[in-house]
Amino acid sequence: MDRLATLRARACRLPVIRWFLDLRLQILALLLLFLLTLWGTLYQVEHGLWASQQRFFYSWFFVSGGFFPFPGAKLVLAYLFVSLLLVTVLRLSYRAQKTGLILIHWGLLVLLAGGGITHFQAVESFLSLKEGERSNLTSDYRNWEISVWTERAQATNGLPEKRAVEAIDTDRLLGGKAVVFPDAALTLIPRRLFQNAMPNIEAPPSGPQSASGFTGLSAAAQQTDPAQDLPGGEFTVLAAGATNQILLWAGEASPLHLGEKTIQLRRKRHPLPASLALKRFTKEEHPGTAVARRYESRVQLSEPRLSREVLIRMNEPLRFADYTVYQSSYSEEEGVPVSVFAVVKNGGRIVPYLASVLLFLGMLIHFGIMLVGRIRRREAR
Amino acid sequence: MIRGLSALLLLAVVAFASEVPAGKVSLSSFRAIAILDEGRIKPLDTFARGKLLQFSARETFAGKPAIQWLARVFFDPESAADDKIFRVENPQVTEALGVPAEASLRYSLKQLEPSFPALQELYRRIAPLPDKERDPVQKGVARLYVNVNQYLELQTAFLFAAPSPTLVISEPSVRARLGLPSHQTACSWLELRDLAPNLMTELERSDVSTEVMLAAQGMRQMAGNGAALSLPVLPVKTKEGLRWESPWPLLSAGISETNLLFSIHRLSRLRAAWISSDDAAFQREADGLRQEASSVCKSAGVTPPLKLEVAYNLISPFANARILYIAAFLLLMVSWLFIGPRARRLVTVAWGVILLALLLHACGIAARMAITGRPPVTNLYETFLFVAAVIVAVSLLVERTLGNRLGLLVGAISGTGFLFLAGRFATEGDTLRVLVAVLDSNFWLSTHVLAVTIGYAGVVLSGILGHVWMVQAIRGRAAAAAQTAKLVYGTQAFGLLFTFTGTILGGVWADQSWGRFWGWDPKENGALLIVIWSAMIFHARLVGWVRETGFAAASMAGILVVCFAWFGVNFLGVGLHAYGFSDGARAALYAYGSLQTLLILFGAWFAHARLAQSRGPE
């Protein structure tokens, strides 16, 4: 026991560890976090939430005014995490009387860890389902892919048959190098790429071909949140000995057919380990208004072993495996309701709950001990 | 608890409700008639207040309650058209419309009438612009256009029951054949509708009179115009629940349900009773309408507490609580002029007054909960009511412990101030309005929202006590200041505890509804700022960076942080929590922020110097 105490004391004197244990530095880190949070909030007025998150909160460093480097919230939080970890390991006295404080510190530690886990591995996407529709693919908000597949005749039972799709992330095109789709024996060479594009209606009619008939693309102003951008580009396609000039644009609903090959620029797909079918979408409005009071989706969830019916609504998501499916919004397509779900894959989604429990318990015990102490002192007087 | 407090409010209304019947009939039953407005079933009294507030930024007209004004608009539109109720703040709007400016900034329908074509044309041009992109003049025009249209809708709501100059049948023989009474020539739409078979026979005659043909034409025209006029006061039970119908569209569509037709005739008789000042008949018809609507509602499983809401409106618990808080404050001020038993007596009275104020305040909150069936805080307005109540309650606890009038003083000042702020926010429309889907969760509203709001109250109270500390320090009362400093510390800890708890609960709620625990949304950031600020000053005290003065000054600055989190982020108008956005108070907030900063800097410096001086000899 004594050896452990000596070890802890010795560790505390190590220069690097002293940095992390210095309460004054920790307060400065809190001050930095305060400033970043304030700044990042005000920044949202002009630039929106996404840009603010990237610049202030999800960055190690950022540059202000084109020159001054500034630590990002990620760095500050990482420092605070390590500090807290070292404090709990080296400094905190583990006595029964301090149970509350110990739990609070561990709770904070777990909370920060949970934030990190979510930040580094959670994947957010969405799923739009028409009533009667089924899918096991969700769409990314900001990442795009180019998919190529071979169109075959429909299966006789009327259902779309399974098809082998090759897809590459559009990020791979940024270098301007050719990309090969080996199964389809197709090569794609990017000519011009746009972060956000719109069809150019003044382009000559003899230009490259596209799925919806326009022959030119031009750059459009980028949105504050790239989720609202519709990228596009001009490509040369080499397939089956032929060379074609084509345009791909994210705003097109249907894919482009080149002989028996089909090619499309679309939001990156994420496969789910289960399929979801929208059985019924219901919406209730406050009477006499267009303000929705509540909306909900009755969904058939088919996992490999089990198929069950579930109800997803605001504040009551569906959780299965590492996935959580939230009722996000709704729209209507040709009179058929479309339900939009946000889908989050997060292996660490339980961590913040664990942290909350630790924190609440800690506060309860800490203030309980203080209260009891106070009452005893008063009685003693 | 809620029921008890609500019942108390109902009892109290008896004293207030014995109103003198201004106009010629008493409106006590009329004001409790149910209407569906903005998605909520409310009494006509609330509806009238809301409309008048919207048109003229006041809840009364010429010193009389809004319901009287509404009755005139319904039943005597001709005279009501002279009421100057349309508030147009921007003189450029009236200039553009060619209306001579009024010093009161309020205009009557008659004054605006000649400019309707110009108003229509201006609105047509700005209608496609989203509200955010409109300049103040365009906003003014749009608001006036909407207001005038809504007013016209109210004004024509009862025209089916009024004798109309386009429905004149003067020949006695024709009147006799139709079955019309002999004494009047102008008929009402409803009257002729009831005689439709006779009218048809009359139209088929070979010697049909021109008046009858014109009347039939007039009826068709009026029915066409009325088809879209909404005054949803007639509930109908359906399979899905309740549907609310308006008299005009029902009549235009050729209503067949006898019970609805009966109610429409009641409305007609209600109008007649008002015109002839027949109080007994007016009460009878209004009560009848109320009972019919309430039995339909009940059969559909809906029981809106309309009487309670009317009582709530009449008592105005928060306005009256504010008066009591002010009275308590004055009593305390006077008590400082005296010493000995006289001062003690004054303090006892102040205790009583402030307790009464808090009781009224709490009854008001309880009544709101009973009316909406919700926890106490669902919108920005309610945060003020709730924070005020929490601060006053905690201050009274402090007073009970210390007994040095400090708690009473802080309670009275905070109660007055926050209820005054609440009053400013009440002008933005129905404060009991319905909630958007994401807020439809009584569990989270009563945990996360309450915890954060109590946290706000704690941090603000700590800041207010910081001011008290500063005054004591500047006056050189070192011992008293030291005692106050302990309170500043304790309340700050209380605030941190609740804000922190609320923030964590908010994360859990966000995870439940939006799929992420934390997203750096402005409101989340606001709460986080309070937590960091508070945590920072506690830790800065540990390393000796701040002592008594620094802690008090930082607590005062904490009010600014709370202001930013509480409504500053709503002013920014971004993010998922932007439901409380408001335009007007921005400048006031900035001004307050600057003044408070100066006060903290100079006050702390001065207080510190004075304390050092007074403690010097030790």
Side-chain angles (χ1 to χ4, degrees):
Chain A
M1 202 66 200
D2 278 347
R3 269 193 64 188
L4 189 67
T6 333
L7 259 176
R8 282 177 78 182
R10 199 176 291 164
C12 286
R13 283 196 293 274
L14 289 174
V16 184
I17 289 180
R18 262 168 54 193
W19 270 17
F20 283 100
L21 289 179
D22 191 337
L23 188 53
R24 283 167 300 185
L25 269 180
Q26 288 162 3
I27 297 170
L28 283 182
L30 279 180
L31 182 65
L32 255 177
L33 190 61
F34 183 89
L35 293 177
L36 283 170
T37 309
L38 188 62
W39 194 357
T41 310
L42 296 173
Y43 191 81
Q44 289 180 28
V45 180
E46 288 283 314
H47 302 90
L49 177 64
W50 187 83
S52 163
Q53 284 173 341
Q54 302 304 313
R55 182 178 161 92
F56 295 94
F57 303 117
Y58 299 160
S59 65
W60 296 104
F61 280 100
F62 66 95
V63 174
S64 164
F67 182 72
F68 301 101
F70 215 90
K74 209 182 203 173
L75 183 68
V76 178
L77 287 170
Y79 169 80
L80 284 172
F81 176 75
V82 176
S83 291
L84 209 54
L85 185 64
L86 291 174
V87 166
T88 46
V89 172
L90 300 176
R91 271 276 169 81
L92 217 54
S93 70
Y94 286 83
R95 282 180 291 149
Q97 237 191 339
K98 301 263 178 182
T99 314
L101 276 181
I102 293 165
L103 284 177
I104 291 175
H105 277 83
W106 276 102
L108 276 174
L109 206 57
V110 175
L111 190 67
L112 283 174
I117 293 172
T118 301
H119 174 70
F120 289 108
Q121 59 83 47
V123 180
E124 290 180 18
S125 57
F126 69 94
L127 174 64
S128 299
L129 283 180
K130 254 192 213 179
E131 232 171 44
E133 215 173 19
R134 164 184 295 277
S135 175
N136 66 339
L137 290 175
T138 64
S139 308
D140 203 285
Y141 288 104
R142 297 178 188 86
N143 291 308
W144 300 82
E145 64 181 23
I146 291 177
S147 314
V148 176
W149 66 92
T150 306
E151 204 76 61
R152 291 196 211 98
Q154 277 205 339
T156 42
N157 60 6
L159 295 169
E161 70 177 311
K162 282 189 180 171
R163 57 196 182 193
V165 178
E166 284 179 81
I168 56 131
D169 285 5
T170 47
D171 292 350
R172 277 183 59 193
L173 298 166
L174 291 178
K177 276 198 202 137
V179 179
V180 181
F181 293 82
D183 290 352
L186 180 145
T187 307
L188 194 69
I189 307 162
R191 297 287 170 211
R192 286 198 305 161
L193 296 171
F194 304 100
Q195 278 283 335
N196 189 19
M198 54 182 177
N200 183 356
I201 43 170
E202 283 161 19
S206 58
Q209 53 176 314
S210 68
S212 28
F214 57 85
T215 55
L217 272 179
S218 51
Q222 282 182 39
Q223 304 290 315
T224 49
D225 183 348
Q228 275 138 25
D229 284 342
L230 290 173
E234 192 182 326
F235 304 87
T236 302
V237 181
L238 308 174
T243 307
N244 282 295
Q245 301 298 325
I246 63 160
L247 290 171
L248 294 174
W249 181 49
E252 290 174 303
S254 51
L256 174 69
H257 300 284
L258 280 177
E260 58 178 17
K261 303 274 180 271
T262 306
I263 182 164
Q264 188 175 24
L265 169 61
R266 61 187 193 185
R267 288 183 191 276
K268 188 176 172 177
R269 303 293 165 101
H270 300 280
L272 289 173
S275 77
L276 292 170
L278 179 62
K279 299 184 86 168
R280 210 177 67 236
F281 175 78
T282 38
K283 179 178 69 163
E284 189 187 325
E285 282 164 356
H286 286 295
T289 67
V291 182
R293 174 190 256 163
R294 62 174 68 94
Y295 40 98
E296 57 190 36
S297 304
R298 196 158 278 284
V299 167
Q300 188 74 31
L301 170 76
S302 309
E303 289 181 274
R305 289 210 189 128
L306 175 77
S307 178
R308 60 188 166 120
E309 197 177 288
V310 285
L311 186 69
I312 304 175
R313 58 172 136 186
M314 220 33 140
N315 298 327
E316 282 174 38
L318 156 73
R319 302 180 190 274
F320 69 96
D322 282 347
Y323 291 86
T324 313
V325 181
Y326 306 88
Q327 182 71 62
S328 164
S329 62
Y330 58 87
S331 62
E332 215 181 78
E333 241 174 62
E334 295 151 359
V336 185
V338 178
S339 186
V340 184
F341 304 98
V343 181
V344 180
K345 184 189 183 208
N346 182 5
R349 75 173 159 79
I350 209 74
V351 182
Y353 289 84
L354 182 65
S356 308
V357 171
L358 287 176
L359 284 166
F360 290 141
L361 265 182
M363 287 194 282
L364 207 66
I365 294 173
H366 182 65
F367 288 101
I369 289 174
M370 274 175 63
L371 198 70
V372 170
R374 180 169 261 194
I375 291 170
R376 280 204 188 133
R377 275 204 300 278
R378 185 172 285 181
E379 276 170 1
R381 248 187 279 152
Chain B
M1 176 76 173
I2 296 173
R3 256 158 206 263
L5 290 172
S6 310
L8 234 158
L9 198 69
L10 267 178
L11 273 180
V13 79
V14 178
F16 284 82
S18 58
E19 56 184 289
V20 190
K24 303 278 163 37
V25 292
S26 155
L27 298 173
S28 57
S29 289
F30 177 68
R31 66 188 353 146
I33 290 175
I35 184 170
L36 179 77
D37 180 47
E38 294 177 330
R40 188 167 81 81
I41 303 167
K42 52 176 84 163
L44 270 185
D45 188 74
T46 307
F47 178 76
R49 284 164 193 257
K51 285 291 171 219
L52 196 54
L53 199 60
Q54 178 190 334
F55 296 158
S56 78
R58 279 188 191 153
E59 276 196 345
T60 55
F61 175 73
K64 305 237 173 76
I67 192 72
Q68 281 199 18
W69 160 80
L70 185 70
R72 287 193 21 255
V73 176
F74 278 160
F75 305 135
D76 189 10
E78 188 59 27
S79 92
D82 284 320
D83 298 347
K84 291 181 179 170
I85 55 142
F86 292 103
R87 184 174 165 90
V88 184
E89 280 164 34
N90 196 321
Q92 292 181 54
V93 174
T94 41
E95 211 178 299
L97 295 173
V99 179
E102 286 273 348
S104 65
L105 302 180
R106 288 184 177 83
Y107 302 83
S108 71
L109 190 74
K110 284 229 175 93
Q111 280 174 296
L112 296 174
E113 221 160 7
S115 311
F116 282 178
L119 182 62
Q120 182 104 29
E121 176 55 23
L122 280 174
Y123 183 74
R124 195 182 59 77
R125 271 185 272 160
I126 55 173
L129 281 178
D131 193 56
K132 263 189 177 174
E133 287 170 26
R134 291 178 184 160
D135 66 29
V137 180
Q138 289 170 334
K139 274 187 190 169
V141 168
R143 196 176 307 132
L144 184 62
Y145 179 83
V146 170
N147 285 349
V148 165
N149 271 298
Q150 290 193 5
Y151 181 89
L152 291 176
E153 204 165 343
L154 295 178
Q155 199 194 34
T156 42
F158 276 82
L159 283 194
F160 63 87
S164 162
T166 56
L167 308 177
V168 173
I169 291 170
S170 52
E171 285 167 47
S173 59
V174 181
R175 294 188 66 84
R177 278 204 299 276
L178 284 171
L180 285 164
S182 52
H183 58 271
Q184 68 180 66
T185 54
C187 313
S188 77
W189 196 97
L190 189 64
E191 206 173 10
L192 287 179
R193 184 227 165 261
D194 292 341
L195 301 171
N198 300 358
L199 194 62
M200 292 307 287
T201 324
E202 195 63 29
L203 280 167
E204 279 161 10
R205 282 172 72 102
S206 56
D207 59 340
V208 57
S209 86
T210 327
E211 277 183 340
V212 171
M213 272 165 40
L214 284 174
Q217 204 184 342
M219 278 186 75
R220 271 196 298 279
Q221 207 177 353
M222 284 173 78
N225 291 340
L229 288 181
S230 143
L231 187 74
V233 290
L234 307 171
V236 182
K237 193 186 164 196
T238 63
K239 260 185 277 169
E240 293 86 39
L242 276 181
R243 192 179 71 234
W244 288 77
E245 296 283 4
S246 308
W248 259 126
L250 282 178
L251 291 171
S252 305
I255 173 189
S256 56
E257 293 98 325
T258 41
N259 53 340
L260 282 176
L261 198 57
F262 185 73
S263 295
I264 292 179
H265 276 100
R266 263 202 199 283
L267 288 170
S268 168
R269 292 199 294 275
L270 188 75
R271 179 189 169 277
W274 193 89
I275 300 272
S276 59
S277 295
D278 183 347
D279 190 43
F282 191 80
Q283 299 315 318
R284 194 172 57 239
E285 301 304 340
D287 279 332
L289 277 165
R290 274 197 315 114
Q291 279 153 13
E292 278 156 28
S294 122
S295 72
V296 173
C297 287
K298 206 175 273 172
S299 71
V302 181
T303 46
L306 298 170
K307 276 193 168 169
L308 176 66
E309 188 168 342
V310 170
Y312 168 83
N313 286 343
L314 287 174
I315 293 174
S316 335
F318 305 113
N320 287 312
R322 196 171 73 196
I323 294 173
L324 291 174
Y325 285 130
I326 295 174
F329 173 74
L330 294 176
L331 281 168
L332 280 171
M333 286 292 116
V334 175
S335 80
W336 262 294
L337 299 178
F338 298 99
I339 35 170
R342 215 182 267 179
R344 274 201 296 280
R345 240 175 284 142
L346 277 168
V347 173
T348 314
V349 178
W351 251 111
V353 172
I354 206 166
L355 274 177
L356 192 64
L358 185 60
L359 181 70
L360 194 58
H361 191 150
C363 282
I365 293 177
R368 293 180 65 88
M369 291 167 70
I371 292 165
T372 56
R374 294 275 178 204
V377 183
T378 61
N379 58 38
L380 195 57
Y381 170 73
E382 289 177 325
T383 58
F384 289 104
L385 303 181
F386 191 73
V387 165
V390 172
I391 293 187
V392 174
V394 176
S395 305
L396 292 186
L397 284 180
V398 168
E399 178 64 25
R400 231 190 71 133
T401 323
L402 295 182
N404 59 357
R405 286 179 263 185
L406 201 69
L408 287 180
L409 181 72
V410 170
I413 292 176
S414 321
T416 311
F418 281 105
L419 288 188
F420 176 76
L421 278 175
R424 299 297 300 245
F425 276 88
T427 56
E428 287 180 2
D430 186 3
T431 59
L432 292 158
R433 62 185 161 257
V434 296
L435 299 177
V436 294
V438 71
L439 294 179
D440 183 33
S441 155
N442 282 354
F443 175 73
W444 292 113
L445 282 172
S446 50
T447 50
H448 157 69
V449 175
L450 284 197
V452 168
T453 316
I454 293 172
Y456 286 171
V459 176
V460 167
L461 181 57
S462 172
I464 295 173
L465 288 166
H467 286 79
V468 174
W469 175 89
M470 188 170 274
V471 172
Q472 288 169 332
I474 288 174
R475 292 179 65 207
R477 306 280 171 84
Q483 196 182 37
T484 309
K486 275 187 203 154
L487 285 177
V488 175
Y489 183 86
T491 45
Q492 185 71 228
F494 173 85
L496 173 62
L497 174 69
F498 277 93
T499 319
F500 185 59
T501 308
T503 308
I504 299 282
L505 285 171
V508 176
W509 187 7
D511 189 60
Q512 296 285 334
S513 58
W514 296 320
R516 84 283 181 293
F517 192 84
W518 194 261
W520 304 101
D521 171 84
K523 200 78 186 179
E524 292 169 344
N525 289 357
L528 180 66
L529 285 174
I530 301 178
V531 172
I532 301 178
W533 183 259
S534 202
M536 222 158 53
I537 50 184
F538 278 110
H539 286 93
R541 194 167 166 274
L542 278 181
V543 293
W545 283 356
V546 296
R547 290 175 206 284
E548 201 175 305
T549 311
F551 199 93
S555 295
M556 288 164 77
I559 298 184
L560 291 178
V561 182
V562 172
C563 280
F564 182 81
W566 193 350
F567 30 88
V569 296
N570 296 84
F571 288 155
L572 298 179
V574 288
L576 294 158
H577 291 77
Y579 42 74
F581 180 73
S582 62
D583 237 352
R586 196 191 301 251
L589 191 66
Y590 286 148
Y592 167 72
S594 321
L595 281 177
Q596 176 79 355
T597 311
L598 284 178
L599 177 74
I600 293 169
L601 291 176
F602 287 104
W605 171 70
F606 194 51
H608 192 65
R610 286 281 302 186
L611 269 190
Q613 205 176 21
S614 64
R615 284 174 186 165
E618 286 171 23

